[in-house]
Amino acid sequence: MCGIVGAIAQRNIVPILIEGLKRLEYRGYDSAGAAVLNQGRLERARRVGRVAEMESQAAAQHLSGNLGIGHTRWATHGGVTEYNAHPIVSCDELAVVHNGIIENHEEQRERLKALGYSFESQTDTEVIAHLIHHYFSQSNDLFDATRRSVRELTGAFAIGVVAQNSPDVICCARMGCPLLIGLGDGENFFASDVSALIKETRRIVYLDEGDVAAVRSDGVTIVDRLGNPVQRAERLSEVSADAIDLGPYQHYMQKEIHEQPRAVSDTLEGIIAAGADPELFGADAAGVFREIDSILILAAGTSYYASLVGKQWLESIARIPCAVELGHEYRYRDSIPNPRQLIVTLSQSGETLDTMEALKRAKELGHDQTLSICNVQESAIPRASKLVFYTRAGAEIGVASTKAFTTQLAALFILALVLAKQRGQLDAAAEQAHLQALRLLPGSVQHALNLEPQIKVWAEHFSAKEHALFLGRGLHYPIALEGALKLKEISYIHAEAYPAGELKHGPLALVDSNMPVVVIAPNDALLEKVKSNMQEVRARGGQLYVFADQDSHFGETEGVHVIRTPRHAGVLSPVIHAVPVQLLAYHAALQKGTDVDKPRNLAKSVTVE
C-alpha cells in the first residue's frame, strides 16, 4: 500500500526521493509528499494526487536538502486531503512517514492531548510524530526517542523519522510492514520496496520484525525489538532497473501479461531439469513432506484463487487432503490445529499482512511445518517459513496481478507432483508425461496471448456494460473467479463468478440480454455439463462469450461467441485459460479509459488489515 523512501547523503536528495516515490506508485496511493532538512530547517511539500504534482510543488518551493523522507499515502484514517498527506509534522520540528495502522491511536491521541499536543490531521500517524517528539524533547536523541515510542505502539507499521535538531541521522522502524535499508558509498537509504532504491544501490539490508535503525551517511545502527544491537545480513538485490521499466508497452499490466511465457518457463526451470525433487522446496523438504498428512493453504485475493486450483491438483494427483482458507478469516476463527498439517502460504509480495498474520497464528497453534510460495526474495513471509519456493515471475508492478497468478499455479502444480512422487502416487511414466506437459506450457501460454486481436473485439462489447457473469466448473471455476476479479478491479464493471451448475440455484435471475456471460469451457470431463448451463443462459436471452479450446466441438451461433485457446492442455488448462480473461479485463479497461495500472481504491501490496 503506502510507499516510503528516505535518504541521507552529501548531495541534494530530493531527486532521489522523487524517483523513489515514482517507482512506488504501483503500490497504490492517493497523495504524496516529502520532507527534508535544508540548512537546519525542516521543509515539506505535499499534494493530493500523483507524485508528479508533488514534484511540481517541490520544484516551486525550491525544495532541497541532504537528508529527507518521502511517502505515497493510501488513505486509511482520514480522507484524501493535503492535511492528511504525509510527511506528518510535530511542532514544525519533526516529520514522520508511516505505512500501516496504529491500532491504539485513539488511546495515544488522548494521552498526547493531555501533554499539550494539538492535532491537525485525522491520521493515526500524527500520534507517532507527537510521541517521538515528546521523547525527543526529553533526550535530544532521535534514535532513543524512536525506540521508546515504537514500544508503545500497537499495530502494523513501518516508519521513517527526521528531526530539525538531529541533522545527521534518519531513524526508521518496522513491525508488520516491509522496510529495508540500501547501502551506498558515503550515503545510505531506506524504503518499503527495493524498486525505490534500485537506481541508487543494489546493496540491501532487510530489517526484521521489531527492528529500529539509525541511518547515517557513514553507516547504519540497528537494534532488535529488545533493544539489543544486531547485524543484519547485507544482500545483493537481483532486481534490475530494466526489470521495472515499462519498455515498449502502454501499461505495466500489458507488459506483465506478455511476460508470462518467460515467467512460467523460469519458474518451471528447476523441475524440468531435476524432475519431481523435494529439494526444489528446500534442503529439509523431503523430511517435512514425509511427516505431513494434509495441507492447509492460506492466501488472499488472486493468490486465494490460485490456491483453489492447487487444492484440486494436490488432492487428485498427490492424493493428500487439502483445505484453502482466506488468511484474514483463518486468523480470527477457532480452528482445530493439526501438527502434521503442512501450512502453505501464497503471496506475491511476501508482505501481505493478512497472510503473514495467518501464518503467525498457525505457528502459535503448533503448526511447525510451513512452506511459503512467493515472488519476492527475502521478504517477510518466506523468512518466517521453514520451506520456500520462489516463483521467479520477476517484478510485478501493475496492481492487478497477472504473471504472479500463473506462476503461482505453476508452483502449486510442482508441489502436487513432488508430493505425489514421494507418497508413491506418481510412477515414472506419469512423471514423464507431466514433465512433458510442463515443457509445452510456456508455448501454450504464448499461443493464448496470440488471441489478443479477437479478445479486443469482445472488449468493445463489454466496455458499455455495467455487469457480467463468469462461469466455470471443476478446475476452471477458480479461473472464472479470477476473470471476474480482474474485470471489476480495472474496468469497474461489476462482475461475479459462479460454478456453472449453480446458475439455476439463483444467479440465473440476473441473466437478460444486457448481461454478458463469460464461460470457461475447455474440452474436459465437464464440458457437456457446461454446455447444458450455457443453454440455460441462451434460453433467457443472455449473450455468451465462451473461451473454449481447439478440441471443443461446438461453434458460434446467434448469441454465442467463441474464442478457442490452443489444444486442451489437460490438468494444466487453468494456466492457459487465465491468459484470455486477463486480456479481456485489460482491453475492456482500455475501452473505458480507466487507470489500468493504478485502479481506484486499490493497492498492490496489502500491508494493512
Side-chain angles (χ1 to χ4, degrees), residues 21-30 49-52 72 74 246 250-253 397-400 489-492 586 589 593-604:
L21 293 179
K22 287 180 176 179
R23 291 186 177 272
L24 293 174
E25 286 187 297
Y26 76 93
R27 296 169 69 93
Y29 71 106
D30 45 56
R50 295 305 183 198
V51 172
T72 52
W74 190 84
L246 188 57
Q250 188 175 354
H251 298 95
Y252 280 108
M253 184 177 180
I397 305 299
V399 167
E489 273 185 309
I490 62 170
S491 75
Y492 316 144
Y586 173 73
T594 60
D595 192 337
V596 173
D597 286 333
K598 306 181 192 71
R600 67 190 183 199
N601 305 331
L602 298 180
K604 181 64 177 174

Side-chain angles (χ1 to χ4, degrees), residues 22-53:
K22 287 180 176 179
R23 291 186 177 272
L24 293 174
E25 286 187 297
Y26 76 93
R27 296 169 69 93
Y29 71 106
D30 45 56
S31 58
V36 299
L37 289 188
N38 184 9
Q39 297 181 345
R41 294 180 57 223
L42 185 64
E43 298 181 355
R44 175 175 57 161
R46 300 182 294 173
R47 277 290 180 269
V48 170
R50 295 305 183 198
V51 172
E53 296 173 45

